[in-house]
Amino acid sequence: MLEKALAHAGRNQQAYLSQLQAYLRIPSISTLPEHQTDVARAAEWVAADMQRLGLRNVRVMPSGGYPFVYGEWLEAPNAATLLIYGHYDVQPVDPLDAWQHDPFGAEIQGGKIWARGASDNKGQHFAHLKAIESCLAATGRLPLNVKVLLEGEEESLSQNLEPFLRANRRLLAADTGVISDGAMIRPGTPEIDYGLRGVVALEIRVRGPGRDLHSGSYGGTVLNPVQALAAMLASLHHENGTVTIPGFYDRVRPLTPEERALLNQAGYTLEQWQRETGARLPWGEPEFTLLERIGARPTCEINGIWGGFSEEGMKTIIPASAGAKITLRIVPDQDPDEIARLFQEHLQSIAPPQIQMDIRYQSGCWPVVMPLDAPEIRAAARACRQTWGVEPVFSRGGGSLPVVAAFQQILGAPFALIPFGLDDNRHSPNEHLGLEYFFNGIQTAIRYYYSLSSEFELGD
Ligand SMILES: [Zn+2]
C-alpha cells in the first residue's frame, strides 16, 4: 500500500506542481484589505481541490474574519485520527522591486518555485494534500483517519483560531496533529521540532514625584524612578545568567542525559552563533549549551526601557516616571499565568517604598514539548530517514507558536512539527521552495501517515 502511494506521488509530480502553481498565483495576503477577495478565492480554490482529491465533508467555515477550510477522511475505524493544520494566507510582498520574479507568478527556475507563500505555507501544507491524494488514488484509502484544517489568518495573528477551536472541539477531535511550516536547519537535513517555548509579556510603569523635578532644587532628596527601575531590573539575573525570581524554576522539567545528547546532535557552533547574532561572546547559564539555552531553558528579557530625557543636549531633571517591557520565555511545565504572578510579586517585594509601580500582564502562551519516546517522534524519524536517506535532527525551538499551544490546550492533541522547507526567504522578497523539498515533503507525509498508523496500533 505504502509503495503504491509513493509510486503514485512519483508519477504525478508534474501535475502536483502545476496545481501548486495555480494555488500560489492567488495573492491571498490576509493583512491587506485590498486582497480580501483573493483570500476568499484561495479558500474556495483549496476547498475545491480537497473535494476533488477525495476528502469528505469539505467545508469553507466562516469565522469572525477569513474562513477556515475543513475536510476529513474517517473511514479507518480502528485507526488513529491525525489533524493536519496549515494556512492558506500569505505575507505582503513589499518591497516589490527586490523580487527577481513576479511574487505571484509561481515561475519555476533553478530547481525552485518562486512565489510568496511557496514555503510559508501553501507549498508545505499542499504537500500533505498531495500525500493524501496519492494514498487515496493509488489504494482507495488512507492508513489512518485524517482531518485537515486550513486557516486564512495565520499571518495576521490568528485572532479567530482559539474561539473556532473551542466552538468546534468535537469536529476537530484528534489523537495527534502535525504542522509542516518553518524551516529545516540545513539543506538536505530533515528536522523534527518536538518542543517550543512559551512566552509571558509584561509592562512595568514606575512613578516617583508628581512631575519632572529640577535636579538642582530637589536632587539628593528624591528617589529617581529611572534609577529605581534600573536597579530592580538589574537584580533579575544572577551573574551566571539564572533568573532570581523565587519559584521561577520550580516547574522546569529537567533535561535527561538522553535528551541532551539528542538535542545537541544538531551541532550548533559558536561560529554559527556569532555569525547569526553579530555578538562577540555568548552569555547565559554556563552549564547548558547554546542549543539547550535556546530551546529548553526559561529566560527573562528586558525588551525596552524608557524614562526621562534622552534628546540631544542636556536637561537637568529628575524624571517623574519610567517604564519597561519584559518578556519571559518559558518551558514545560511552567504556567504562563503563574510565572506572570511570580514576576509581579517579586518585583513588588523589592520595590522601594518611594515609588509606585504598576505591572500589566499583557499576554501569555503555553510552552509545549513532546516526549522523545512518543509514537509521533518515532514515526516522524522513520519517515524523514527513509525519504532523505539521512538521520533527522531533533530540535526544540526557542520561539513560541500560539497555534500549537492552543491545539494542545483546547483539543488536548500533541502536535509534531515537521518542516518540509528551508529558510526559503519566508516573509522576505524572493520567497521560494526547492522542488526536491516539495516532492520529498509529499513522500515524508505519506510515510508519516503509514508509520504513525502502525505506531498507534502497536500502542493499543
Ligand atoms: Zn509566515
Side-chain angles (χ1 to χ4, degrees):
M1 295 290 236
L2 167 66
E3 294 308 323
K4 276 191 182 172
L6 291 172
H8 185 93
R11 280 196 307 276
N12 286 276
Q13 287 188 340
Q14 275 317 312
Y16 291 169
L17 195 56
S18 356
Q19 292 165 5
L20 176 59
Q21 284 178 302
Y23 192 19
L24 289 171
R25 285 178 183 139
I26 308 171
S28 49
I29 306 171
S30 61
T31 55
L32 301 177
E34 61 266 35
H35 285 280
Q36 211 165 340
T37 54
D38 297 319
V39 184
R41 197 148 56 87
E44 294 295 340
W45 189 95
V46 74
D49 193 62
M50 284 161 61
Q51 180 86 47
R52 187 194 52 74
L53 67 84
L55 285 167
R56 318 276 200 239
N57 192 19
V58 174
R59 297 192 241 170
V60 176
M61 299 173 75
S63 76
Y66 289 118
F68 288 84
V69 180
Y70 174 82
E72 63 187 24
W73 190 92
L74 305 175
E75 291 158 42
N78 298 312
T81 299
L82 170 71
L83 177 62
I84 300 164
Y85 165 87
H87 64 92
Y88 64 83
D89 64 323
V90 301
Q91 281 276 316
V93 294
D94 54 292
L96 197 55
D97 56 8
W99 284 78
Q100 277 139 23
H101 302 264
D102 173 356
F104 297 105
E107 287 163 59
I108 293 168
Q109 201 198 60
K112 294 173 178 155
I113 184 164
W114 299 82
R116 171 60 83 229
S119 182
D120 179 10
N121 169 255
K122 285 175 178 166
Q124 297 204 40
H125 71 251
F126 201 62
H128 277 284
L129 294 182
K130 297 302 106 177
I132 295 171
E133 177 167 350
S134 301
C135 294
L136 289 176
T139 73
R141 60 187 313 277
L142 287 163
L144 38 52
N145 299 299
V146 158
K147 297 179 176 181
V148 177
L149 181 69
L150 303 178
E151 186 189 351
E153 297 181 316
E154 199 270 354
E155 301 294 4
S156 50
L157 301 176
S158 297
Q159 273 161 353
N160 293 292
L161 181 69
E162 281 202 32
F164 184 84
L165 295 184
R166 283 184 210 288
N168 294 284
R169 230 185 274 243
R170 177 112 38 100
L171 180 72
L172 300 170
D175 298 296
T176 184
V178 65
I179 300 180
S180 294
D181 201 346
M184 301 180 193
I185 185 164
R186 298 183 268 284
T189 306
E191 175 171 325
I192 297 160
D193 300 322
Y194 68 98
L196 290 166
R197 288 196 288 197
V199 65
V200 171
L202 300 139
E203 183 175 320
I204 308 170
R205 287 175 184 262
V206 171
R207 296 202 60 83
R211 60 187 162 83
D212 288 358
L213 297 175
H214 191 298
S215 69
S217 307
Y218 300 101
T221 68
V222 173
L223 175 60
N224 185 317
V226 175
Q227 179 191 333
L229 179 61
M232 284 190 282
L233 296 181
S235 77
L236 286 172
H237 291 90
H238 292 296
E239 242 167 65
N240 68 0
T242 54
V243 175
T244 57
I245 301 166
F248 186 68
Y249 293 96
D250 285 1
R251 291 188 200 275
V252 174
R253 231 185 270 179
L255 280 169
T256 63
E258 296 77 43
E259 181 172 0
R260 295 185 83 162
L262 198 69
L263 196 51
N264 288 303
Q265 266 172 19
Y268 185 57
T269 61
L270 178 62
E271 291 69 43
Q272 187 180 350
W273 176 87
Q274 284 169 324
R275 209 168 41 242
E276 288 171 11
T277 60
R280 263 188 303 173
L281 287 173
W283 177 87
E285 298 173 292
E287 65 272 38
F288 294 98
T289 67
L290 294 173
L291 282 176
E292 290 166 354
R293 283 182 231 167
I294 292 167
R297 297 292 296 167
T299 67
C300 172
E301 294 297 344
I302 303 160
N303 309 121
I305 180 166
W306 62 91
F309 178 75
S310 57
E311 309 297 308
E312 213 172 312
M314 58 182 272
K315 188 180 182 195
T316 49
I317 56 155
I318 300 165
S321 63
K325 298 241 187 210
I326 306 286
T327 48
L328 302 108
R329 295 282 174 179
I330 56 174
V331 298
D333 298 311
Q334 288 176 304
D335 166 341
D337 296 347
E338 184 182 51
I339 292 298
R341 183 176 54 77
L342 290 175
F343 182 92
Q344 285 164 318
E345 285 172 3
H346 174 63
L347 234 64
Q348 294 294 357
S349 79
I350 61 170
Q354 291 86 352
I355 58 154
Q356 273 191 317
M357 183 168 56
D358 175 34
I359 305 174
R360 265 170 249 174
Y361 175 21
Q362 294 182 308
S363 63
C365 165
W366 283 83
V368 290
V369 73
M370 194 177 267
L372 285 169
D373 58 359
E376 290 88 345
I377 299 291
R378 284 194 300 273
R382 195 177 315 130
C384 288
R385 190 188 304 123
Q386 289 175 348
T387 300
W388 288 93
V390 292
E391 285 299 322
V393 296
F394 292 85
S395 137
R396 277 176 74 161
S400 310
L401 250 181
V403 171
V404 180
F407 278 116
Q408 197 131 322
Q409 290 299 308
I410 300 167
L411 302 180
F415 261 75
L417 305 171
I418 312 174
F420 291 158
L422 293 170
D423 172 67
D424 298 335
N425 283 24
R426 304 148 56 84
H427 293 211
S428 309
N430 302 310
E431 182 175 348
H432 57 271
L433 181 66
L435 301 187
E436 187 196 2
Y437 289 81
F438 176 56
F439 298 138
N440 277 356
I442 300 173
Q443 287 202 25
T444 306
I446 295 172
R447 290 196 170 97
Y448 185 59
Y449 306 158
Y450 275 89
S451 285
L452 197 59
S453 138
S454 51
E455 287 289 344
F456 271 86
E457 248 166 59
L458 291 174
D460 283 345

